[in-house]
């Protein structure tokens, strides 16, 4: 099983507008509501790829109940910790004329110490029954900046392979527990090492330094439409993805993580895993919803992924 952890779960609402003029009244003719948050996006894509997955995290209030109902509707198992307050509502406004995306993200509920302890127990239980545990996204209000340290350590002690996809202090502190894989961007790699990353050669050296410093299995750095760079114990790899018509980039990184988690759960080869993850991320970009892919498109794209060892 794959377990995904979303500590700040949300309802993702996407409004599709022919135009989005500021300071005007806009009437929404078409919208979509889905369970969201980075870890839930990972869960949705892993399920679409055919792997058993359980989503956990914190949820609260009526929004929390709606998140669980929406997951039930798409057949994804869940085991959340309930908290006081309301889970987040995150809006994505797509201006179809300009091709722009405007996101409005609520903060979400504050999580007390009792709920934090309950989550530690939940992770210990789920990780003991999972091959992969993915921690994704921001920390909610009320939890310490180093909260991922304890959770990552618990999951690793239970025998799971741990992927941490976070940023800022959550990532910096989380590294202390030595997750097996992280997925920073170029700026985060530079910030973690306190250096400038001017080109791909500098990036290669930086990710290899991080890999050795924290004794990780792999580090994936997204380069947007240009693909990604992956550092692993077997070497550093440059992945190039095919050109596609991009509809929406929200959730592409989560889809990549899902593909990687699925390949690890299946025991696929390293390069096959890179191809699946990259194809999943690219397929997500071709849809108008985060955490949505077309498995047939993924299969086709996998054959077009170019992987070069540097």
């Amino acid at each position: 099983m794959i377990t995904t952890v979303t500590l700040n779960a949300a309802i993702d609402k996407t409004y599709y507008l022919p135009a989005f003029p500021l300071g005007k009244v806009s009437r929404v003719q078409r919208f979509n509501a889905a369970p969201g948050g980075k870890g839930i996006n990972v869960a949705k894509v892993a399920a679409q790829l055919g792997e058993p997955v359980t989503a956990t995290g914190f949820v609260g209030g009526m929004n929390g109940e709606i998140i669980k109902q929406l997951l039930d509707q798409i057949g994804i198992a869940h085991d959340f910790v309930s908290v006081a307050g309301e889970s987040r509502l995150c809006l994505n406004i797509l201006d179809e004329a300009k091709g722009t995306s405007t996101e409005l993200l609520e903060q979400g509920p504050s999580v007390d110490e009792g709920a934090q302890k309950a989550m530690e127990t939940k992770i210990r239980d789920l990780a003991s029954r999972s091959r992969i545990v993915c921690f994704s996204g921001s920390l909610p209000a009320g939890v310490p900046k180093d909260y991922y340290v304890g959770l990552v350590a618990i999951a690793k002690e239970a025998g799971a392979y741990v992927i941490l996809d976070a940023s800022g202090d959550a990532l910096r502190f989380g590294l202390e527990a030595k997750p097996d894989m992280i997925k920073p961007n170029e700026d985060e790699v530079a910030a973690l090492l306190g250096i400038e990353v001017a080109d791909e050669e500098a990036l290669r050296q930086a990710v290899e330094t991080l890999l050795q410093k924290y004794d990780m299995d792999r580090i994936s750095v997204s380069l947007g439409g240009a693909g990604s760079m992956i550092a692993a114990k077997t070497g550093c790899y440059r992945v190039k993805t095919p050109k596609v018509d991009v509809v929406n980039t929200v959730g592409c990184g989560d889809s990549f993580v899902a593909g990687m988690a699925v390949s690890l759960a299946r025991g696929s080869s390293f390069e096959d895993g890179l191809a699946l993850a990259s194809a999943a991320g690219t397929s997500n970009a071709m849809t108008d919803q985060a955490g949505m892919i077309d498995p047939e498109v993924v299969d086709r794209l996998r054959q077009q992924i170019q992987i070069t060892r540097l």
Side-chain angles (χ1 to χ4, degrees), residues 5 7 56-59 80-84 109-124 135 139-152 154:
V5 184
L7 298 181
T56 189
F58 296 118
V59 294
F80 289 101
V81 172
S82 295
V83 298
S110 181
V111 177
D112 63 27
E113 188 173 344
Q116 293 174 38
K117 293 293 184 183
M119 179 56 65
E120 293 172 6
T121 301
K122 186 80 68 181
I123 294 300
R124 185 173 291 107
F135 296 95
L139 296 173
V143 307
K145 293 179 179 179
D146 62 353
Y147 188 55
Y148 272 137
V149 177
L151 297 186
V152 169
I154 287 169

Short mmCIF file of all heavy atoms in Angstrom, two decimals, residues 5 7 56-59 80-84 109-124 135 139-152 154:
data_model
loop_
_atom_site.label_atom_id
_atom_site.label_comp_id
_atom_site.label_asym_id
_atom_site.label_seq_id
_atom_site.Cartn_x
_atom_site.Cartn_y
_atom_site.Cartn_z
N VAL A 5 0.18 11.61 3.02
CA VAL A 5 -0.10 12.42 4.20
C VAL A 5 -0.25 13.88 3.78
O VAL A 5 0.68 14.48 3.23
CB VAL A 5 1.03 12.29 5.24
CG1 VAL A 5 0.68 13.07 6.51
CG2 VAL A 5 1.31 10.82 5.56
N LEU A 7 -1.20 17.21 5.64
CA LEU A 7 -1.47 17.80 6.95
C LEU A 7 -2.38 19.02 6.86
O LEU A 7 -2.94 19.45 7.87
CB LEU A 7 -0.16 18.17 7.64
CG LEU A 7 0.78 16.99 7.94
CD1 LEU A 7 2.04 17.47 8.64
CD2 LEU A 7 0.08 15.92 8.77
N THR A 56 -4.26 10.13 4.40
CA THR A 56 -4.45 10.57 5.78
C THR A 56 -4.02 12.02 5.90
O THR A 56 -3.52 12.63 4.95
CB THR A 56 -3.69 9.68 6.78
OG1 THR A 56 -4.09 10.04 8.12
CG2 THR A 56 -2.18 9.86 6.67
N GLY A 57 -4.22 12.59 7.08
CA GLY A 57 -3.90 13.98 7.34
C GLY A 57 -4.89 14.53 8.35
O GLY A 57 -5.59 13.77 9.04
N PHE A 58 -4.95 15.84 8.46
CA PHE A 58 -5.90 16.50 9.35
C PHE A 58 -7.07 17.05 8.54
O PHE A 58 -6.87 17.66 7.48
CB PHE A 58 -5.23 17.66 10.09
CG PHE A 58 -4.11 17.27 11.01
CD1 PHE A 58 -2.82 17.73 10.78
CD2 PHE A 58 -4.34 16.46 12.11
CE1 PHE A 58 -1.78 17.38 11.63
CE2 PHE A 58 -3.31 16.09 12.96
CZ PHE A 58 -2.02 16.56 12.73
N VAL A 59 -8.30 16.85 9.02
CA VAL A 59 -9.47 17.49 8.44
C VAL A 59 -10.34 18.03 9.56
O VAL A 59 -10.33 17.50 10.68
CB VAL A 59 -10.29 16.54 7.55
CG1 VAL A 59 -9.52 16.13 6.31
CG2 VAL A 59 -10.75 15.30 8.33
N PHE A 80 -8.33 9.83 8.36
CA PHE A 80 -7.89 11.14 8.80
C PHE A 80 -7.98 11.30 10.32
O PHE A 80 -8.69 10.56 11.00
CB PHE A 80 -8.74 12.23 8.15
CG PHE A 80 -8.50 12.42 6.68
CD1 PHE A 80 -9.37 11.89 5.75
CD2 PHE A 80 -7.39 13.13 6.23
CE1 PHE A 80 -9.16 12.07 4.39
CE2 PHE A 80 -7.17 13.31 4.88
CZ PHE A 80 -8.06 12.78 3.95
N VAL A 81 -7.28 12.29 10.82
CA VAL A 81 -7.42 12.75 12.20
C VAL A 81 -8.27 14.01 12.17
O VAL A 81 -7.96 14.97 11.44
CB VAL A 81 -6.04 13.05 12.83
CG1 VAL A 81 -6.22 13.72 14.20
CG2 VAL A 81 -5.23 11.77 12.97
N SER A 82 -9.35 14.04 12.94
CA SER A 82 -10.25 15.19 12.95
C SER A 82 -9.75 16.25 13.93
O SER A 82 -9.24 15.93 15.01
CB SER A 82 -11.67 14.76 13.34
OG SER A 82 -12.21 13.90 12.36
N VAL A 83 -9.90 17.51 13.53
CA VAL A 83 -9.47 18.63 14.37
C VAL A 83 -10.61 19.64 14.44
O VAL A 83 -11.56 19.62 13.65
CB VAL A 83 -8.20 19.31 13.80
CG1 VAL A 83 -7.04 18.33 13.77
CG2 VAL A 83 -8.46 19.90 12.42
N ALA A 84 -10.50 20.57 15.41
CA ALA A 84 -11.47 21.66 15.50
C ALA A 84 -11.21 22.65 14.37
O ALA A 84 -10.10 22.78 13.88
CB ALA A 84 -11.34 22.35 16.86
N PRO A 109 -7.25 25.13 9.48
CA PRO A 109 -7.42 25.15 10.95
C PRO A 109 -6.09 25.05 11.70
O PRO A 109 -5.09 24.58 11.15
CB PRO A 109 -8.27 23.91 11.20
CG PRO A 109 -7.87 22.97 10.09
CD PRO A 109 -7.62 23.84 8.89
N SER A 110 -6.12 25.48 12.94
CA SER A 110 -4.97 25.29 13.83
C SER A 110 -5.08 23.92 14.49
O SER A 110 -6.17 23.51 14.91
CB SER A 110 -4.96 26.39 14.90
OG SER A 110 -3.85 26.24 15.76
N VAL A 111 -3.96 23.23 14.57
CA VAL A 111 -3.95 21.85 15.07
C VAL A 111 -3.34 21.81 16.46
O VAL A 111 -2.19 22.22 16.65
CB VAL A 111 -3.15 20.93 14.11
CG1 VAL A 111 -3.08 19.52 14.66
CG2 VAL A 111 -3.79 20.95 12.72
N ASP A 112 -4.09 21.31 17.43
CA ASP A 112 -3.60 21.30 18.81
C ASP A 112 -2.69 20.09 19.07
O ASP A 112 -2.55 19.20 18.23
CB ASP A 112 -4.75 21.35 19.81
CG ASP A 112 -5.67 20.14 19.74
OD1 ASP A 112 -5.22 19.04 19.33
OD2 ASP A 112 -6.85 20.28 20.12
N GLU A 113 -2.10 20.08 20.25
CA GLU A 113 -1.11 19.05 20.58
C GLU A 113 -1.72 17.65 20.62
O GLU A 113 -1.08 16.67 20.22
CB GLU A 113 -0.46 19.38 21.93
CG GLU A 113 0.70 18.47 22.28
CD GLU A 113 1.44 18.90 23.53
OE1 GLU A 113 1.24 20.05 23.97
OE2 GLU A 113 2.22 18.09 24.08
N GLY A 114 -2.97 17.56 21.07
CA GLY A 114 -3.62 16.25 21.11
C GLY A 114 -3.77 15.64 19.73
O GLY A 114 -3.51 14.45 19.52
N ALA A 115 -4.16 16.47 18.76
CA ALA A 115 -4.30 15.99 17.38
C ALA A 115 -2.94 15.64 16.78
O ALA A 115 -2.81 14.69 16.01
CB ALA A 115 -5.00 17.04 16.53
N GLN A 116 -1.92 16.40 17.16
CA GLN A 116 -0.57 16.10 16.68
C GLN A 116 -0.12 14.72 17.16
O GLN A 116 0.47 13.95 16.40
CB GLN A 116 0.40 17.18 17.15
CG GLN A 116 0.16 18.54 16.53
CD GLN A 116 1.04 19.62 17.14
OE1 GLN A 116 2.21 19.38 17.46
NE2 GLN A 116 0.49 20.80 17.33
N LYS A 117 -0.39 14.41 18.42
CA LYS A 117 -0.03 13.10 18.96
C LYS A 117 -0.83 11.99 18.27
O LYS A 117 -0.31 10.91 17.98
CB LYS A 117 -0.28 13.07 20.47
CG LYS A 117 0.63 13.97 21.29
CD LYS A 117 2.08 13.49 21.24
CE LYS A 117 2.97 14.34 22.13
NZ LYS A 117 4.41 13.93 22.03
N ALA A 118 -2.10 12.28 18.01
CA ALA A 118 -2.95 11.29 17.32
C ALA A 118 -2.40 11.01 15.92
O ALA A 118 -2.44 9.86 15.45
CB ALA A 118 -4.38 11.79 17.26
N MET A 119 -1.88 12.04 15.25
CA MET A 119 -1.32 11.83 13.92
C MET A 119 -0.07 10.97 13.99
O MET A 119 0.16 10.11 13.11
CB MET A 119 -0.99 13.19 13.27
CG MET A 119 -0.36 13.08 11.88
SD MET A 119 -1.36 12.13 10.70
CE MET A 119 -2.81 13.19 10.57
N GLU A 120 0.74 11.13 15.00
CA GLU A 120 1.94 10.29 15.14
C GLU A 120 1.54 8.82 15.27
O GLU A 120 2.15 7.94 14.65
CB GLU A 120 2.74 10.74 16.36
CG GLU A 120 3.37 12.13 16.20
CD GLU A 120 3.99 12.65 17.48
OE1 GLU A 120 4.03 11.88 18.48
OE2 GLU A 120 4.42 13.81 17.51
N THR A 121 0.50 8.56 16.05
CA THR A 121 0.01 7.19 16.20
C THR A 121 -0.53 6.67 14.88
O THR A 121 -0.31 5.51 14.50
CB THR A 121 -1.10 7.14 17.28
OG1 THR A 121 -0.56 7.60 18.52
CG2 THR A 121 -1.63 5.73 17.45
N LYS A 122 -1.26 7.53 14.16
CA LYS A 122 -1.84 7.14 12.86
C LYS A 122 -0.73 6.79 11.87
O LYS A 122 -0.83 5.78 11.15
CB LYS A 122 -2.68 8.30 12.32
CG LYS A 122 -3.45 7.97 11.07
CD LYS A 122 -4.71 7.20 11.37
CE LYS A 122 -5.71 8.04 12.12
NZ LYS A 122 -6.93 7.27 12.44
N ILE A 123 0.32 7.60 11.82
CA ILE A 123 1.42 7.35 10.88
C ILE A 123 2.12 6.03 11.23
O ILE A 123 2.47 5.24 10.34
CB ILE A 123 2.43 8.51 10.90
CG1 ILE A 123 1.79 9.80 10.37
CG2 ILE A 123 3.67 8.16 10.07
CD1 ILE A 123 1.28 9.71 8.96
N ARG A 124 2.31 5.78 12.50
CA ARG A 124 2.97 4.53 12.93
C ARG A 124 2.17 3.32 12.44
O ARG A 124 2.73 2.35 11.93
CB ARG A 124 3.13 4.52 14.44
CG ARG A 124 3.91 3.32 14.98
CD ARG A 124 4.18 3.46 16.47
NE ARG A 124 5.14 4.53 16.76
CZ ARG A 124 4.81 5.70 17.30
NH1 ARG A 124 3.54 5.96 17.62
NH2 ARG A 124 5.73 6.62 17.53
N PHE A 135 4.86 12.28 2.35
CA PHE A 135 4.49 13.48 3.10
C PHE A 135 4.57 14.65 2.13
O PHE A 135 5.64 14.93 1.59
CB PHE A 135 5.44 13.71 4.27
CG PHE A 135 5.39 12.65 5.33
CD1 PHE A 135 6.30 11.60 5.32
CD2 PHE A 135 4.45 12.71 6.35
CE1 PHE A 135 6.27 10.62 6.29
CE2 PHE A 135 4.42 11.72 7.33
CZ PHE A 135 5.33 10.68 7.31
N LEU A 139 2.74 22.85 6.36
CA LEU A 139 2.32 22.50 7.72
C LEU A 139 1.16 23.39 8.14
O LEU A 139 1.16 24.59 7.85
CB LEU A 139 3.49 22.69 8.69
CG LEU A 139 4.71 21.80 8.48
CD1 LEU A 139 5.83 22.22 9.42
CD2 LEU A 139 4.35 20.33 8.71
N PRO A 140 0.19 22.85 8.83
CA PRO A 140 -0.93 23.68 9.30
C PRO A 140 -0.52 24.55 10.48
O PRO A 140 0.52 24.32 11.11
CB PRO A 140 -1.98 22.64 9.71
CG PRO A 140 -1.17 21.44 10.11
CD PRO A 140 0.03 21.43 9.20
N ALA A 141 -1.36 25.53 10.76
CA ALA A 141 -1.13 26.37 11.94
C ALA A 141 -1.16 25.51 13.19
O ALA A 141 -1.88 24.53 13.28
CB ALA A 141 -2.20 27.46 12.01
N GLY A 142 -0.34 25.91 14.17
CA GLY A 142 -0.34 25.22 15.45
C GLY A 142 0.72 24.16 15.61
O GLY A 142 1.05 23.79 16.74
N VAL A 143 1.26 23.62 14.51
CA VAL A 143 2.29 22.59 14.64
C VAL A 143 3.66 23.23 14.56
O VAL A 143 3.85 24.26 13.91
CB VAL A 143 2.14 21.49 13.56
CG1 VAL A 143 0.74 20.94 13.54
CG2 VAL A 143 2.52 22.01 12.19
N PRO A 144 4.68 22.66 15.23
CA PRO A 144 6.01 23.23 15.17
C PRO A 144 6.64 23.09 13.78
O PRO A 144 6.25 22.21 12.99
CB PRO A 144 6.79 22.41 16.21
CG PRO A 144 6.04 21.13 16.33
CD PRO A 144 4.60 21.47 16.09
N LYS A 145 7.62 23.93 13.49
CA LYS A 145 8.27 23.92 12.18
C LYS A 145 8.97 22.60 11.90
O LYS A 145 9.17 22.24 10.74
CB LYS A 145 9.27 25.07 12.09
CG LYS A 145 8.63 26.45 12.09
CD LYS A 145 9.70 27.54 12.01
CE LYS A 145 9.06 28.93 11.99
NZ LYS A 145 10.08 30.00 11.92
N ASP A 146 9.36 21.88 12.95
CA ASP A 146 10.08 20.63 12.78
C ASP A 146 9.15 19.41 12.89
O ASP A 146 9.61 18.29 13.13
CB ASP A 146 11.23 20.51 13.77
CG ASP A 146 10.76 20.50 15.22
OD1 ASP A 146 9.55 20.72 15.46
OD2 ASP A 146 11.60 20.29 16.11
N TYR A 147 7.86 19.61 12.69
CA TYR A 147 6.90 18.52 12.89
C TYR A 147 7.16 17.34 11.96
O TYR A 147 6.97 16.18 12.34
CB TYR A 147 5.48 19.05 12.69
CG TYR A 147 4.39 18.07 13.06
CD1 TYR A 147 4.34 17.49 14.32
CD2 TYR A 147 3.39 17.74 12.15
CE1 TYR A 147 3.32 16.60 14.67
CE2 TYR A 147 2.38 16.86 12.49
CZ TYR A 147 2.35 16.29 13.75
OH TYR A 147 1.36 15.41 14.09
N TYR A 148 7.61 17.61 10.74
CA TYR A 148 7.88 16.52 9.81
C TYR A 148 9.02 15.62 10.30
O TYR A 148 9.08 14.45 9.92
CB TYR A 148 8.25 17.06 8.43
CG TYR A 148 7.06 17.30 7.52
CD1 TYR A 148 6.99 18.46 6.74
CD2 TYR A 148 6.03 16.38 7.39
CE1 TYR A 148 5.92 18.69 5.88
CE2 TYR A 148 4.96 16.59 6.55
CZ TYR A 148 4.91 17.76 5.79
OH TYR A 148 3.85 17.97 4.94
N VAL A 149 9.91 16.14 11.13
CA VAL A 149 11.04 15.33 11.60
C VAL A 149 10.53 14.08 12.31
O VAL A 149 10.93 12.95 12.00
CB VAL A 149 11.95 16.14 12.56
CG1 VAL A 149 13.07 15.26 13.10
CG2 VAL A 149 12.55 17.34 11.83
N GLY A 150 9.62 14.27 13.26
CA GLY A 150 9.10 13.14 14.01
C GLY A 150 8.30 12.20 13.14
O GLY A 150 8.41 10.97 13.27
N LEU A 151 7.48 12.75 12.24
CA LEU A 151 6.63 11.90 11.41
C LEU A 151 7.46 11.07 10.43
O LEU A 151 7.20 9.87 10.24
CB LEU A 151 5.62 12.74 10.64
CG LEU A 151 4.59 13.52 11.46
CD1 LEU A 151 3.58 14.20 10.54
CD2 LEU A 151 3.87 12.63 12.45
N VAL A 152 8.46 11.70 9.82
CA VAL A 152 9.33 10.97 8.91
C VAL A 152 10.08 9.86 9.65
O VAL A 152 10.17 8.72 9.17
CB VAL A 152 10.33 11.92 8.22
CG1 VAL A 152 11.41 11.14 7.47
CG2 VAL A 152 9.60 12.85 7.25
N ILE A 154 9.14 8.28 12.36
CA ILE A 154 8.20 7.22 12.72
C ILE A 154 7.95 6.31 11.51
O ILE A 154 7.95 5.08 11.63
CB ILE A 154 6.87 7.84 13.21
CG1 ILE A 154 7.06 8.44 14.60
CG2 ILE A 154 5.75 6.79 13.26
CD1 ILE A 154 5.91 9.29 15.07
#
